[in-house]
Amino acid sequence: MSQESSSKPDIVPKEEKRSPFSTYKKAALIFLFSVVLYYFYPTRTNTTNNDYTMPSLFKLRSIANHFIPREVAEGVGARVKRSVGSMQQRRFTPFLMLDDFTVKSPSGFPDHPHHGQETITYVIDGLIAHEDFTGSKGVLRPGDLQFMTAGKGIVHSEMPVEMEDGRPARGLQLWVDLPKDLKNCEPRYRNLRSEDIPVVKPHENLEVRVISGKSYGTESVKDLAYTPIDFYYMLASKAGTEFAQEIPSDFNAFLYVMKGSVVINEKVFKQNTAIFFDTDGEGVAGQAGSDDTEFAIIGGKILDQPLVQHGPFVETDQEKLYEAFMNYEGYTKGFERAKGWRSDIASGINESEAKQLLE
């Protein structure tokens, strides 16, 4: 943003001479004012918030771990790149798992249970159909998200839609631990459609989809998950595009490169790299390492509680975990509706059938 000064220039009488100290002082003030303008009023196009103000400079978090995850088998015939939940990064409270999935029908994730956690599914391309034993069903389109709270128990199915053009479904699924006092809450869904996600453009080469949290002065939709989560999806059109994101002090945070590459502290991180940050700073920042770069910055409130996990069952001790398994096996205490239930999409769903669910 260019700003024109409305004040008149100083008029100095010929007989008056400026001292060197006065000249240096004025130059210093001009420099300081320029820095303030640069950081607080950058050139930008903001699609959601005309009152945007760039946050002040913050101390950057250091990198604690980074790697490109291996591909592993999951569900029925599906393969995923798992970062959180792998041997390279077992857990990262409150996160239990992050899968980068590319899955094509007839492979998928048919009927299976969850307990004591939340799942967040973000679809990048293709369509994902879902259905559970409460009667909820629907389809996630590109750019859509689903926040599912399993609580005391749920059985559901997630299947890629068989597309007429043959393309697979691509996206991210995140598993998040629930606070111990919410482990046995009632299950619920929060669907977030692409058109309802606030988008901010701090400058012409950077677009931020503010899924959950606050970025560049723009806030997300509220009450999506019980565990406090920040989720930002950033798209940089040009290499060298700078980005910055503040992170609450009591949050863990990581970055995952979906496409292209990012540069942090002069180190290049390629596509599919997961970067985990320490809690020694107030935020993260870097640059796009290539044109058309896409990445997610995800943070979550650190949960100071014990954790015992076996697959999609998550508890705070072994006894409670065993009890949750027995509830599932005996169709009790939250799993009553699992008895005899089978989803309509477990064997697959085509694009025509998916369109009917979208209507």
Side-chain angles (χ1 to χ4, degrees):
M1 170 186 283
S2 62
Q3 293 188 351
E4 297 181 0
S5 173
S6 60
S7 60
K8 295 181 179 180
D10 292 334
I11 300 176
V12 183
K14 291 182 180 180
E15 65 272 17
E16 181 181 343
K17 294 184 178 180
R18 294 187 183 274
S19 68
F21 176 77
S22 175
T23 302
Y24 295 149
K25 184 176 180 180
K26 182 177 180 181
L29 288 172
I30 292 173
F31 174 77
L32 180 61
F33 184 65
S34 299
V35 170
V36 171
L37 284 177
Y38 177 81
Y39 283 108
F40 283 82
Y41 299 97
T43 302
R44 85 284 190 269
T45 302
N46 192 327
T47 60
T48 60
N49 187 350
N50 293 326
D51 299 322
Y52 158 69
T53 301
M54 182 75 172
S56 57
L57 295 177
F58 49 75
K59 181 183 177 183
L60 297 181
R61 294 189 174 200
S62 58
I63 294 174
N65 189 18
H66 66 87
F67 57 90
I68 295 177
R70 303 182 183 93
E71 194 173 69
V72 298
E74 185 56 81
V76 176
R79 298 192 65 82
V80 301
K81 296 180 180 71
R82 179 165 297 165
S83 47
V84 182
S86 69
M87 293 300 294
Q88 296 155 295
Q89 185 72 49
R90 189 71 187 93
R91 296 187 182 96
F92 194 60
T93 178
F95 306 112
L96 306 167
M97 188 192 80
L98 177 70
D99 281 353
D100 173 357
F101 63 84
T102 301
V103 59
K104 185 177 180 180
S105 181
S107 300
F109 314 96
D111 307 358
H112 60 279
H114 287 266
H115 166 83
Q117 60 161 278
E118 297 184 284
T119 65
I120 301 172
T121 305
Y122 182 35
V123 177
I124 306 296
D125 194 19
L127 300 173
I128 290 285
H130 64 90
E131 182 183 353
D132 71 58
F133 70 7
T134 71
S136 297
K137 61 173 60 177
V139 175
L140 300 176
R141 309 161 303 175
D144 291 347
L145 289 101
Q146 181 189 81
F147 292 74
M148 185 195 79
T149 302
K152 61 184 179 182
I154 202 165
V155 178
H156 75 154
S157 183
E158 303 161 289
M159 299 297 292
V161 173
E162 183 180 359
M163 304 296 289
E164 293 173 1
D165 61 8
R167 76 180 190 273
R170 172 93 194 278
L172 295 172
Q173 184 168 95
L174 186 69
W175 287 11
V176 185
D177 195 13
L178 273 170
K180 57 186 177 182
D181 59 337
L182 291 174
K183 291 289 185 186
N184 290 302
C185 68
E186 290 293 328
R188 71 170 188 173
Y189 282 99
R190 294 290 186 274
N191 289 327
L192 182 60
R193 294 299 185 186
S194 177
E195 58 268 24
D196 297 325
I197 299 173
V199 177
V200 60
K201 295 183 177 180
H203 48 78
E204 62 179 355
N205 296 324
L206 181 65
E207 176 179 305
V208 183
R209 294 171 60 81
V210 189
I211 294 166
S212 182
K214 182 178 180 180
S215 185
Y216 291 95
T218 295
E219 294 190 350
S220 69
V221 175
K222 303 297 184 183
D223 301 322
L224 295 169
Y226 282 130
T227 302
I229 295 295
D230 282 356
F231 195 144
Y232 312 105
Y233 196 78
M234 300 192 176
L235 302 93
S237 60
K238 299 293 183 182
T241 299
E242 295 185 347
F243 64 88
Q245 180 59 53
E246 289 185 291
I247 304 293
S249 60
D250 59 347
F251 275 38
N252 271 328
F254 66 93
L255 184 153
Y256 186 77
V257 185
M258 288 292 287
K259 181 181 178 183
S261 62
V262 300
V263 180
I264 300 175
N265 294 334
E266 300 183 353
K267 181 177 176 61
V268 178
F269 298 94
K270 298 179 181 179
Q271 181 173 323
N272 300 132
T273 303
I275 307 166
F276 298 87
F277 297 95
D278 208 334
T279 56
D280 55 353
E282 300 161 335
V284 301
Q287 305 86 37
S290 55
D291 292 349
D292 298 322
T293 289
E294 299 182 17
F295 56 96
I297 296 177
I298 301 174
K301 185 176 178 62
I302 297 170
L303 297 180
D304 184 15
Q305 64 187 35
L307 174 63
V308 181
Q309 178 185 0
H310 186 80
F313 287 77
V314 186
E315 263 299 346
T316 54
D317 62 51
Q318 288 286 356
E319 185 177 347
K320 291 177 180 177
L321 185 67
Y322 179 76
E323 182 182 349
F325 269 114
M326 291 302 98
N327 292 339
Y328 173 58
E329 293 290 337
Y331 308 115
T332 61
K333 296 182 180 179
F335 286 104
E336 290 85 355
R337 287 171 288 194
K339 188 174 183 178
W341 181 81
R342 176 177 168 80
S343 69
D344 293 332
I345 66 171
S347 299
I349 178 173
N350 61 40
E351 191 170 353
S352 177
E353 293 169 326
K355 287 178 180 178
Q356 293 178 20
L357 290 177
L358 282 169
E359 293 176 353

